[in-house]
């Protein structure tokens, strides 16, 4: 249960279900307050475990091979499940520090972990937007709970906020390049002003968006 649910005991077949502040499911730690503190710590530990497992071979390899080893072993370990994260700036900085330390030991330039996470989120969001409406992933991603007002003050960050921000930046950059006025492509880009789930149905536009993050634009 999250913090918005009234706590109550749950009994099934005369057995009381334990209430825990965090639980591990499908390789990810879920916290009842929705924070990623514990999960990010687990990802960092997994990254160091992957790094130490290949450390000897890594340091004896050419730089090009070192970069390939790091990006195919360490980075996936540290970004596992990040497609569903609603991460804060502090979470991303912790990941970045750990990755920078590993790449520094290997003598390589570290990747931008914010973009690594965002690119994976965008790929997953594209898949979700093209799913059928009876799929649970699509239902919960587009679900807007009624009858519950958001708290006062600055609202908590939502999963889709990063995606919406990326679309805005993408439109701005495409406008600077003069790509908003070329036939069907103009329509595809202007679609980005609508909901992300609508934009994602256009594979061409969405792939361009993902590539723009990968290329660092």
């Amino acid at each position: 249960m999250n913090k918005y649910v009234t706590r109550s005991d749950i009994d099934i077949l005369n057995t009381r279900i334990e209430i825990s502040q965090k639980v591990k499911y499908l390789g990810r730690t879920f916290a009842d307050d929705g924070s990623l503190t514990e999960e990010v710590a687990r990802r960092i530990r997994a990254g160091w475990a992957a790094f130490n497992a290949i450390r000897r071979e890594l340091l004896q390899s050419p730089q090009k091979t070192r970069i390939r080893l790091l990006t195919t072993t360490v980075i996936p370990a540290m970004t596992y499940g990040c497609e569903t994260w609603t991460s804060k700036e502090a979470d991303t900085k912790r990941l970045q520090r750990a990755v920078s330390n590993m790449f520094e030991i290997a003598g390589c330039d570290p990747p931008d972990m914010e973009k690594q996470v965002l690119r994976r989120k965008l790929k997953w969001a594209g898949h979700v937007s093209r799913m059928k409406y009876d799929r649970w992933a699509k239902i919960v991603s587009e679900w807007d709970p009624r009858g519950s007002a958001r708290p006062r003050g600055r609202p908590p960050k939502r999963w889709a906020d990063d995606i919406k921000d990326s679309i805005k930046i993408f439109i701005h950059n495409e406008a600077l390049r003069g790509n908003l006025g070329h036939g069907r492509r103009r329509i595809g880009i202007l679609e980005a002003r609508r909901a992300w789930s609508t934009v994602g149905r256009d594979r061409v536009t969405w792939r361009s968006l993902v590539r723009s993050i990968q290329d660092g634009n």
Side-chain angles (χ1 to χ4, degrees), residues 20-32:
S20 177
Q21 291 183 329
K22 59 184 179 182
V23 62
K24 183 179 178 181
Y25 180 67
L26 295 179
R28 176 182 167 181
T29 299
F30 291 88
D32 63 352

Side-chain angles (χ1 to χ4, degrees), residues 144-188:
D144 185 15
R146 297 182 179 182
S148 58
R150 303 191 75 182
R152 292 182 178 180
R154 184 176 181 178
K157 185 178 181 180
R158 294 174 293 188
W159 176 80
D161 288 344
D162 286 336
I163 298 170
K164 294 176 182 177
D165 291 342
S166 298
I167 291 174
K168 292 177 182 178
I169 295 172
F170 180 59
I171 294 174
H172 175 72
N173 290 338
E174 289 296 297
L176 293 178
R177 297 188 183 97
N179 290 337
L180 295 187
H182 297 292
R184 286 190 61 196
R185 182 164 179 74
R186 180 178 187 275
I187 298 176

Side-chain angles (χ1 to χ4, degrees), residues 51-69:
F51 179 84
N52 289 325
I54 62 170
R55 185 166 186 156
R56 178 178 299 178
E57 294 78 6
L58 182 70
L59 299 181
Q60 295 175 352
S61 302
Q63 187 177 42
K64 187 175 181 179
T65 304
R66 274 179 274 165
I67 295 175
R68 184 171 182 82
L69 284 171

Side-chain angles (χ1 to χ4, degrees), residues 26-55:
L26 295 179
R28 176 182 167 181
T29 299
F30 291 88
D32 63 352
D33 61 357
S35 70
L36 285 171
T37 302
E38 181 66 25
E39 176 60 14
V40 169
R42 290 186 67 250
R43 291 299 102 217
I44 292 175
R45 291 195 296 269
W48 277 112
F51 179 84
N52 289 325
I54 62 170
R55 185 166 186 156

Side-chain angles (χ1 to χ4, degrees), residues 114-123 125-126 157-175 177 189 191-196 199 205-214 216-217:
E114 182 178 3
K115 292 179 180 177
Q116 290 282 332
V117 171
L118 179 57
R119 185 162 56 90
R120 286 166 170 78
K121 283 186 67 172
L122 288 172
K123 285 186 175 182
K157 185 178 181 180
R158 294 174 293 188
W159 176 80
D161 288 344
D162 286 336
I163 298 170
K164 294 176 182 177
D165 291 342
S166 298
I167 291 174
K168 292 177 182 178
I169 295 172
F170 180 59
I171 294 174
H172 175 72
N173 290 338
E174 289 296 297
R177 297 188 183 97
I189 297 300
E191 285 273 332
R193 298 181 185 276
R194 299 169 63 183
W196 66 267
V199 186
T205 299
W206 200 258
R207 286 173 179 171
S208 297
L209 171 60
V210 174
R211 281 197 299 270
S212 73
I213 302 299
Q214 185 175 5
N217 296 330

